[in-house]
Every structure is written in structure tokens, then in C-alpha cells.
Amino acid sequence: MNELPQQLVNGLLLGSMYGLVAIGYTMVYGIVQLINFAHGEIFMTGAFGALSVYLWVLPNGTTMWIALPLMLVGAILVAVLVAIGAERFAYRPLRGAPRLAPLITAIGLSLALQQAVWAWYPEATSARTFPQIEGGPFHIGDVTIQTGDIFLLAAAPISMAVLAYFVMKTRTGRGMQATAQDPDTAKLMGVNTDRIIVIAFALGAVFAAIGGVAYGLKYGQIDYRMGFILGLKAFTAAVLGGIGNIYGAMIGGVVLGIAETLATAYIADIPGMDKFGSQSWADVWAFVLLILVLLFRPQGLLGERVADRA
Amino acid sequence: MRQRSLIAITAALSAGALTLTACGSRDSDDKGSDSGGTTVTIGIDAPLTGDLSALGLGIKNSVDLAAKTANKQKYVDGITFKVEALDDQAQPSSGQQNATKLVADKSVLGVVGPLNSSVAESMQKVFDDAKLVEVSPANTNPALTQGTDWATTKKRVYTSYFRTATTDAIQGPFAAQYLINDAKKKKVFVIDDKKTYGAGLAGTFTEEFKKLGGTVAGTEHINPDSKDFSAIATKVKNSGADVVYYGGEYPQAGPLSKQIKAAGAKIPVVGGDGIYSADFIKLAGASATGDLATSVGAPVEELASAKEFVANYKTEGYKEAYEAYGGYSYDSAWAIIEAVKKAVDDNDGKLPDDARAKVTAAMQNVSFDGVTGKVSFDEFGDATNKQLTVYAVENGAWKPVKSGTYSG
């Protein structure tokens, strides 16, 4: 049987998840030039928000067709609250400070959020099971798709379409573009930049929350450390696509996901490379790819900040 | 502006620090502070938080139970035992820090732990330099007792290190024999997590599996930080293997098993004692039925010697289950208690001045009927009890399938 189509789908799924989280990195960077290293934890708190709704708000045994939308709302609510809180109390006081200060705060915030969930969320010291969608899997030719993955396959493109519409067509979206281009001038033109920055954080959190629910549905479990590695990968995806560029985030995510999957599946088959083909090397190949792209195309695959030119 | 940013940084840092200290204080709750006589501390090092915390907390509670039982029976005259549990989060660096901390506490005369072989590697020398005895209920890497060249020339490296668990040199081949002889499996896909325990287990398994006439359809190494094993699952499905052997622990084995089955390969995943945990079944979901694990010793519930342990454990009302290493942890702690008793008895009922060295020396000749059977140690510090059991997942729980003693 030909394995390639299945492996491409595996990579596409993994990459879509990277992409959803990468949007948050890229939007915040595009507007305030801050790398929000706590963004992976916003993804994590979103997933826990969804689980909380399932455990404590919905009656036992609610079918997923009803539960899932409500869980999404819960995830988004929690993630947005955390993101806005982080912006207000951790980043805004440091605006105008040297670039390094907010970066360190972000790392501290990331650890604090992890530990907070670890300490206060019931039984979160080890992985918690996440509700699953019944039914499936589906077969298309040689390719198998799990029921939980359908959510991810639909969520990623829909999210991108909604985001593109918002940024390009709405008044607030144009305000974001203006602020990204030149915050001071935008302010002089009557754009409330403080509000725009909060919106950028909140929007990033919405997509991270959707990613968090997708993670839970895909792997059937969530834990307080799930955001760390995934956040790093998503950041890499954002850089790969061109940080500041929202389409680049999604493209970068998908390229990264597919690269990792193919490296795991095929590098061992190249003569003399059998030692470097296992999954534990996938991260290495992902970073080799990133370095190559940055060497030959320092602005990333799609280039920086499309918003500038829009 | 500058001042405000300073305030913010300090606030963020102190918030982080506070949550961290809050974590630390959790573990130091239950101190059996009985009055009178000398207090001897039994140190515990295990992952009390993080992925492997289910196993770690089982170890902690079982040692605590041993200390309480000894105090209740006044087993050693004039000595009150208490426990001090430190969290290593399965990290060698934390393990070493904990070892230094335990060595510095003069009342500590023995340590039970750690869970992970890789953590033990970082702790052995620290304990050995202090002549402080360490008894692990769970380390299975042969090199820990028999030196790095154990396959050819066995040589004991640290005289203060003992263990009640059997080694991977036995566990891996035992699984291979079961798969070939009893389960009639011929083609295996071997996966490991590259850590000391996982890679060692996968190595000894593969060797025996091939020797018995089986073939290896493929090998893979996974990244323990990852949760996405879809690429590997697809490879497993296409390899035509009829069984998967995984060298590693349940946080990865659970999702791995789930994803292999989801990819369409309806074949059992087999592992060592590292996946023998209720959490494996929780993580692997309904499709885990038929998955196998070997674990050291006979099933605790079936041994007459263990009935009392199981009953007492229930009476004490511990929140967490004793898990795979409960019996071994109890026996490890009891071995320390026996050694302390010997040292005290030899010194007219008082603790000798060089108590640590005396306890370590006494450990070599300890022999008693423990929860897991006869407990004693050979010239390398390994358990003389070499019994193993194969367990299978059935109706959402581990069920013993076959117990036996490994014969090379």
C-alpha cells in the first residue's frame, strides 16, 4: 500500500494545529513587535476551559454535537480572558521598556500559568482525558481520517477565512493594519491603539483556544505542559511563514507539520541516514528546514507583514 | 515608567515563585511525629508531579505505610521512623539535587527511590560518597548494579545501591519468550523513547526475540515530549507487523497505542513495567484491550504475603493507588528498617555513630518475607527474586495472564 497520502494527511493535520496557534504569535508580533512566549499556555488554558465546560457545566452524557459548540465557547472565553489579563497586567506596563523586558516577563508568565493549572485545576498534575466524538473513522481510498480530526480539518480553513475577512474588510481590521504599519501615526489619525492591541491579543487567543480543543479531540487528553512544545513549534511556524503575516502563519504551520511527518516516515529509507530518520529526529529536521529558509529567504516563506502593503 | 516596569517584573516573578513554593509545601504534609527515642528518616525520591506521578505517588504512599507500620509495631526499639519525600519530576538533575539534600540531613539513614533508571544514574555517586544506602523499587537498567559492561563482565560499581525490582536483562527477554512461545507472534515493530530504561528494554527484548526466530519489521525512536505519533502509526500499519514492542513509559505508550490502532493496525502493543499502570489504559482508551505489559514479581493481589499490605493500604486511606511499584516500595522501605534494626541491635540498642555505613553494610545480608516474596540481595545489590508476570488489558483493567521465573 502506498503510504504517502496518509503521511501527507498526518502532516497536514499536525500542521493545521501549529498554524492555529501560530496566528496568535504572528498577530501580536505584527502589531507590538512582542514575541508572546506565553501564547502556548493560552492554548493550554483554552483546552482546560473546554474540559471545564464539559465536566461542570453540561449534564452528564451530553452528546458531543451539543457539547462541542459550548465547549468551544468555554475554551474561547477562558483563553481570551487569560490573554487580555496578560496584556493588561504583564505587557502593557512594560510597553516602551527595552525589548528584552517583556520577553522575560513572557517566559515568567508562561511558567506561572503552567504552575497555576498544575496547582489549582483538579487532578491536573497528570494528563486528563478529553471527551471524544463518537463514530468513525472515515476512509477515503488509502487514507484514514479520525472523527476528531474532522474538526481540525474544518476549523483551520474556516478560521483563516474569518480572520482574513476581519482584517481586510472591517474597520477594526483596518485599524490593526494601520497600527502595525506605524503605531504613532495611527494614533494621530484617531486609531485607539490600546484597544487594537487588546483585540490582537484576544483574536490570537480565540484561535489558540480552537487549537486547544482540536488538540484534545485529536489526542484524547490534555495536560498542563501541552502548550510548551506546541507553542515553540507554532512560533517556529510563524517565523517560517514570515512573522507578522497571518497567511504565513498557517502556511508555515502546514509546511512544518508535513516536513516533520515526512522526515519521520522517509529519511530512514535514504541510504546511510537510517540513524537520523526516527521521530525523535523530526524536530531536528524541522529546525534544519527553518534555518535553510531563513538563510535563503530571511523574511520567511511569505515575507513579513503583508498588512504593510495591503 | 521604569519603576512601573520593575514592579511588574517583580510581581510576575514573585507570582511564579509563590506557585512554585506552593507546590513544594504540598509534599511535606504527613510527618509521623511520634514522641520518644531517636528519629530515623527514610528519604523518598520519586516523580510526585508530572507525567509519571501516578507511579511516584504509589511509591511515596507505600514507603509511608512501611514507616507507620514499623512505628506501630515498635519494630526497632527506641527508633521512630519518619519519611521525607522529594519530587524529582523524573529529571536526573532534580534527582541529583534531592540526593544532596537527603545526604545533608543527618537523620536520613536510607532512601527509597528513584523510579527512573536515568535518575538513579545521577544519584548513585552522591549516595555512595556519603555511604547512604539507596534501595530502588523500580529501576530496571542492568548497568546500575552490574556496571556498563554488564553483558560481558559484571562488576559492581556502587556498594550503597540496591534494588528490589528485577532488571531489563530479564524483563525484555521474558516478554520475547511469551510473545513467541505463548502468543505465537512472529513479526515485531520495536519502538523506544531513547531513554536509559526504554532503550535498554527494547534492546534486550529484540535480541531474545530474534534468537527465538522472530523477525523485526521495523524500529523507531520517539521523542518523549511529543504527542503526535501519527507518522509512526502509519509506518507500523504498513510494516505488516503482528505485534508492537514499546520500550518506555505510559505517558507516551498510551497515546502511541491509541494512534496505532486508530491508524488501522489492530495489533497489541507490548511493554515493560513502565507501561503497567492504570493511567496507560486511561490514555490508550477503549482500543487498549489486548495490550500487554510485563512487570516484576507476581501480582501483589495474589500473594498471601501481600494481602496484609493491600488491606493496610486501604485502611490508611491513601488517595492514590499503590500502582506497579507499591509492593516493591514497601519491601524497599522494610529492607531499610531491617538494616537499621540490625545496626541498632549490634550496638546495644542505640544508633551507632557511623550509622549510615553500618546500615549499608547490614543491607547486604538483609533477608525477610516481604510483600513481593522473599527479599534479599545478591553480590551486585540486585534482588534475588526473579519472578515476572505478563499482564493484559481486559475490560479496562490489567489482568495477570502468566507468571513465571525467567530462565536464560
Side-chain angles (χ1 to χ4, degrees):
Chain A
M1 176 190 121
N2 186 7
E3 189 178 306
L4 186 63
Q6 178 74 58
Q7 294 290 20
L8 285 173
V9 170
N10 292 344
L12 179 69
L13 286 165
L14 183 62
S16 301
M17 196 144 58
Y18 291 161
L20 278 173
V21 183
I23 290 170
Y25 277 103
T26 236
M27 285 194 31
V28 167
Y29 183 86
I31 289 177
V32 277
Q33 270 82 58
L34 161 76
I35 294 166
N36 179 12
F37 268 118
H39 189 60
E41 273 59 44
I42 289 169
F43 157 83
M44 181 267 293
T45 50
F48 274 94
L51 182 65
S52 306
V53 168
Y54 184 80
L55 290 179
W56 299 310
V57 177
L58 297 169
N60 270 346
T62 313
T63 156
M64 282 302 271
W65 300 116
I66 300 167
L68 194 56
L70 294 171
M71 285 163 66
L72 260 180
V73 171
I76 289 171
L77 222 60
V78 171
V80 167
L81 277 178
V82 172
I84 290 179
E87 195 278 330
R88 180 65 191 83
F89 296 108
Y91 299 135
R92 194 182 295 181
L94 291 174
R95 209 173 289 156
R99 286 267 188 101
L100 213 48
L103 193 69
I104 295 165
T105 310
I107 293 169
L109 186 67
S110 150
L111 287 173
L113 283 173
Q114 276 186 38
Q115 293 298 327
V117 170
W118 180 91
W120 292 314
Y121 199 89
E123 290 167 55
T125 48
S126 58
R128 292 217 53 162
T129 37
F130 200 85
Q132 297 290 287
I133 305 176
E134 293 296 317
F138 302 94
H139 301 278
I140 306 165
D142 278 349
V143 178
T144 308
I145 295 170
Q146 305 304 317
T147 328
D149 290 342
I150 297 207
F151 174 80
L152 186 54
L153 278 182
I158 293 175
S159 303
M160 280 314 289
V162 171
L163 182 63
Y165 175 83
F166 179 81
V167 171
M168 294 305 164
K169 301 284 183 208
T170 64
R171 208 180 149 76
T172 320
R174 291 204 197 94
M176 290 177 87
Q177 294 181 45
T179 313
Q181 202 163 33
D182 187 338
D184 292 330
T185 315
K187 211 176 213 167
L188 290 174
M189 298 295 136
V191 178
N192 184 345
T193 49
D194 273 344
R195 203 177 68 112
I196 292 292
I197 291 168
V198 172
I199 288 172
F201 269 91
L203 265 180
V206 168
F207 296 111
I210 296 171
V213 173
Y215 182 102
L217 291 174
K218 187 166 168 52
Y219 301 124
Q221 53 166 313
I222 55 174
D223 64 81
Y224 70 99
R225 289 187 319 183
M226 66 191 249
F228 182 69
I229 297 285
L230 206 124
L232 276 185
K233 288 289 176 60
F235 171 64
T236 311
V239 175
L240 192 61
I243 193 156
N245 181 327
I246 52 172
Y247 306 109
M250 196 41 93
I251 301 286
V254 169
V255 168
L256 189 69
I258 290 180
E260 277 185 25
T261 309
L262 294 187
T264 307
Y266 294 112
I267 285 202
D269 298 342
I270 302 170
M273 295 289 279
D274 54 332
K275 266 202 184 122
F276 311 111
S278 62
Q279 195 234 0
S280 56
W281 279 83
D283 293 357
V284 176
W285 294 115
F287 282 101
V288 167
L289 175 74
L290 176 69
I291 291 166
L292 285 178
V293 168
L294 292 184
L295 271 179
F296 294 106
R297 209 181 144 74
Q299 67 273 45
L301 289 173
L302 289 200
E304 237 170 316
R305 288 165 67 185
V306 154
D308 279 8
R309 297 190 296 269
Chain B
M1 190 63 202
R2 172 148 299 176
Q3 213 147 6
R4 275 185 55 187
S5 50
L6 257 182
I7 294 168
I9 292 181
T10 333
L13 283 179
S14 50
L18 275 175
T19 41
L20 284 173
T21 39
C23 317
S25 60
R26 266 193 167 187
D27 309 321
S28 51
D29 39 9
D30 41 8
K31 294 275 159 62
S33 55
D34 299 33
S35 58
T38 321
T39 303
V40 167
T41 307
I42 299 176
I44 302 167
D45 177 90
L48 304 177
T49 61
D51 285 347
L52 296 169
S53 58
L55 295 175
L57 291 165
I59 294 175
K60 178 189 155 205
N61 293 343
S62 304
V63 174
D64 184 65
L65 181 63
K68 279 190 177 140
T69 310
N71 289 343
K72 219 175 274 168
Q73 297 177 356
K74 300 212 180 335
Y75 194 73
V76 186
D77 254 344
I79 302 279
T80 308
F81 290 97
K82 66 169 201 161
V83 298
E84 164 89 21
L86 299 179
D87 180 10
D88 64 22
Q89 300 185 325
Q91 297 294 324
S93 54
S94 318
Q96 197 174 53
Q97 278 173 23
N98 292 348
T100 353
K101 213 161 155 187
L102 290 167
V103 164
D105 181 349
K106 290 296 167 217
S107 74
V108 176
L109 292 190
V111 177
V112 178
L115 173 71
N116 306 75
S117 294
S118 50
V119 179
E121 276 177 330
S122 77
M123 303 172 84
Q124 280 182 314
K125 189 172 184 321
V126 181
F127 285 136
D128 204 58
D129 289 346
K131 295 194 168 46
L132 181 56
V133 77
E134 173 185 19
V135 188
S136 170
N139 295 159
T140 49
N141 189 292
L144 293 173
T145 44
Q146 301 166 10
T148 37
D149 300 324
W150 57 273
T152 47
T153 41
K154 294 183 180 183
K155 187 177 155 288
R156 185 165 189 181
V157 195
Y158 299 107
T159 48
S160 72
Y161 178 85
F162 296 85
R163 63 174 144 203
T164 49
T166 43
T167 67
D168 299 335
I170 296 171
Q171 197 179 174
F174 187 76
Q177 288 179 353
Y178 177 82
L179 288 181
I180 295 263
N181 298 336
D182 299 78
K184 309 284 176 217
K185 302 288 183 193
K186 292 277 169 280
K187 221 173 159 192
V188 69
F189 197 104
V190 183
I191 304 172
D192 72 60
D193 64 359
K194 280 178 129 179
K195 293 203 277 188
T196 313
Y197 165 75
L201 199 57
T204 57
F205 167 84
T206 309
E207 206 172 297
E208 181 81 10
F209 197 81
K210 281 200 231 160
K211 211 196 304 175
L212 294 172
T215 51
V216 177
T219 50
E220 261 294 336
H221 310 284
I222 61 150
N223 177 0
D225 290 326
S226 177
K227 279 275 149 54
D228 194 278
F229 307 121
S230 51
I232 292 185
T234 305
K235 279 182 93 172
V236 168
K237 188 194 170 212
N238 280 355
S239 70
D242 53 11
V243 62
V244 175
Y245 190 83
Y246 176 68
E249 289 137 350
Y250 64 83
Q252 292 76 40
L256 185 66
S257 164
K258 186 181 204 157
Q259 290 176 38
I260 285 174
K261 269 116 186 172
K266 306 286 180 221
I267 55 176
V269 172
V270 186
D273 53 340
I275 78 166
Y276 176 58
S277 160
D279 279 26
F280 169 80
I281 301 170
K282 201 173 101 187
L283 296 175
S287 58
T289 301
D291 283 353
L292 300 164
T294 55
S295 189
V296 283
V300 160
E301 294 78 4
E302 290 184 0
L303 282 167
S305 52
K307 290 238 167 70
E308 199 189 322
F309 165 74
V310 174
N312 288 345
Y313 196 95
K314 205 172 271 173
T315 317
E316 281 294 330
Y318 293 112
K319 226 175 74 202
E320 305 88 4
Y322 50 81
E323 291 281 347
Y325 303 109
Y328 284 93
S329 308
Y330 189 91
D331 285 350
S332 300
W334 204 261
I336 292 172
I337 292 166
E338 289 280 356
V340 170
K341 184 177 166 68
K342 175 89 168 63
V344 169
D345 288 351
D346 288 353
N347 193 45
D348 304 326
K350 278 211 302 275
L351 264 186
D353 292 333
D354 55 345
R356 280 181 177 176
K358 286 271 157 58
V359 169
T360 305
M363 188 59 81
Q364 192 63 55
N365 301 314
V366 155
S367 173
F368 62 96
D369 289 314
V371 173
T372 57
K374 189 96 178 153
V375 177
S376 59
F377 304 101
D378 66 10
E379 71 264 41
F380 300 106
D382 279 329
T384 47
N385 182 349
K386 304 227 189 294
Q387 204 174 34
L388 287 149
T389 304
V390 178
Y391 296 86
V393 178
E394 238 177 74
N395 298 329
W398 289 108
K399 293 271 153 49
V401 179
K402 190 188 177 184
S403 276
T405 317
Y406 170 72
S407 46

